[in-house]
Amino acid sequence: MDDRQPDASRFDGHVVIGGGVVGAAAAWALTARGERVLLVEQHGRGHLEGSSHGATRIFRQGYTDPEYVALTTRALALWGALETSSGTTLLDRTGAVDHGRPEVVDAIAAALRGAGIPHETLTPDEAASRWPGIAFEGHVLTHATAGRIRSADAVELFLTLVEHTGLAELRFGSRVRAIVDHGDDLTVTLGDGTSVRTASVVAAVGSWAPTLVGDVLAGRGAVLPAVRVTQEQPAHFPSHLPDAAWPSFVHWADGDDVYGLLTPGEGVKVGFHGTGPVVDPDARDKRPVPEEAERLQAYVARYVPGVDATRPTFISCLYDTTPDEDFVIDRRGPLTVATGFSGHGFKFAPLLGELLADLATGGEPLPRFAL
């Protein structure tokens, strides 16, 4: 461990690396507790380079795992409290529908039932009558607590609330070049050559976690799971139906699973879950893979009749996914790390912020998400 950092300025607070939803929520939770925060983000505010951009995300409680169902209930309460305290609508309760493979849909129903969450089972014909924009197969399940998160608004609200505390400095366009471990604290060196030495770093960096903090963790005897970084290419399709006709939906299909939801003003977003090519997050071309584009349009033409499958607007986003799709939220010494959220993490944002703030201030990790 190298202590030679003569030009590093001392910061008596938490350096949060990453201004996406997880980093913004962590900074919000820390400042809400009276903690000082320096948030650094390599891109601009509200940028399009990671996993948090875009106007909408799904909120749903439909998991087969009771532990995740319980976490959605905690997150839902925090979203509600945030809406009340800020006077901002963040969650549109459109409901959600799951359909497809019976063993998955039935397991979701059992988990919801065990948690006391109201839900309803339907036949495919009953579901098609209720939601004519979607073609259903297999078993069908809906629950009304679900809906659509106004994701871009949520990220901006977290950042604005952090600023309003007067306890934080936010630096955008400020890339972290190195993290040096001194034992009790860390030095974070930024792209402009400045360095900050602190007893707490929260690295909420998603797809950049392996390269940015992998070595620091290894030096402390910890290993990140094999985080798979992929470039995904969902698309918005113009809707033939009014906005109120669209729930959030997941199709547990034979083959690749599919998700969808309305983004008001942009169309119905539909995408395969985690099927994109592996990429370097700093060197992706953002262009859709033609074969995958054709496959998505063919799927939409068959299963989403309420949109025009011939007019997609493709989106490029990063997924950072662990082998079991569980999150990584843990701390080693002065370093707290958060990664592996892609595909289902956004719905938990205010809870993730609380969990990271707990760790950064001396708390213990949830065993499931520990390194």
Side-chain angles (χ1 to χ4, degrees), residues 11 101 121 146 218 229 286 320 323 363:
F11 180 65
R101 301 197 306 275
T121 57
V229 178
K286 300 183 182 180
D320 51 286

Side-chain angles (χ1 to χ4, degrees), residues 24 45-46 151-163 172:
R45 187 166 182 150
S151 48
D153 292 348
V155 176
E156 181 57 30
L157 178 62
F158 285 133
L159 294 172
T160 299
L161 292 175
V162 168
E163 290 174 316
F172 295 96

Side-chain angles (χ1 to χ4, degrees), residues 304-324:
V304 195
V307 304
D308 184 348
T310 69
R311 297 170 56 201
T313 301
F314 283 96
I315 309 159
S316 177
C317 64
L318 286 175
Y319 259 36
D320 51 286
T321 312
T322 63
D324 58 7

Side-chain angles (χ1 to χ4, degrees), residues 11-99:
F11 180 65
D12 184 20
H14 307 269
V15 176
V16 175
I17 307 173
V21 69
V22 179
W28 163 73
L30 284 164
T31 54
R33 302 177 187 200
E35 301 283 329
R36 293 183 64 208
V37 166
L38 169 62
L39 184 146
V40 293
E41 162 57 52
Q42 63 178 325
H43 301 295
R45 187 166 182 150
H47 65 84
L48 309 179
E49 306 301 322
S51 301
S52 293
H53 66 279
T56 56
R57 291 293 189 280
I58 293 175
F59 181 88
R60 56 194 294 275
Q61 298 194 265
Y63 282 84
T64 60
D65 190 312
E67 187 171 4
Y68 272 107
V69 174
L71 292 172
T72 66
T73 297
R74 292 173 62 184
L76 182 59
L78 289 171
W79 282 118
L82 188 59
E83 287 183 312
T84 299
S85 63
S86 66
T88 304
T89 299
L90 298 171
L91 180 58
D92 296 306
R93 302 291 186 92
T94 65
V97 60
D98 292 85
H99 70 107

Side-chain angles (χ1 to χ4, degrees), residues 137-168:
E137 67 172 6
H139 288 191
V140 185
L141 167 75
T142 183
H143 63 293
T145 53
R148 182 176 63 234
I149 303 168
R150 301 184 185 186
S151 48
D153 292 348
V155 176
E156 181 57 30
L157 178 62
F158 285 133
L159 294 172
T160 299
L161 292 175
V162 168
E163 290 174 316
H164 287 174
T165 65
L167 294 170

Side-chain angles (χ1 to χ4, degrees), residues 334-348:
L335 176 64
T336 302
V337 61
T339 188
F341 300 109
S342 290
H344 70 126
F346 203 111
K347 69 175 72 66
F348 299 102

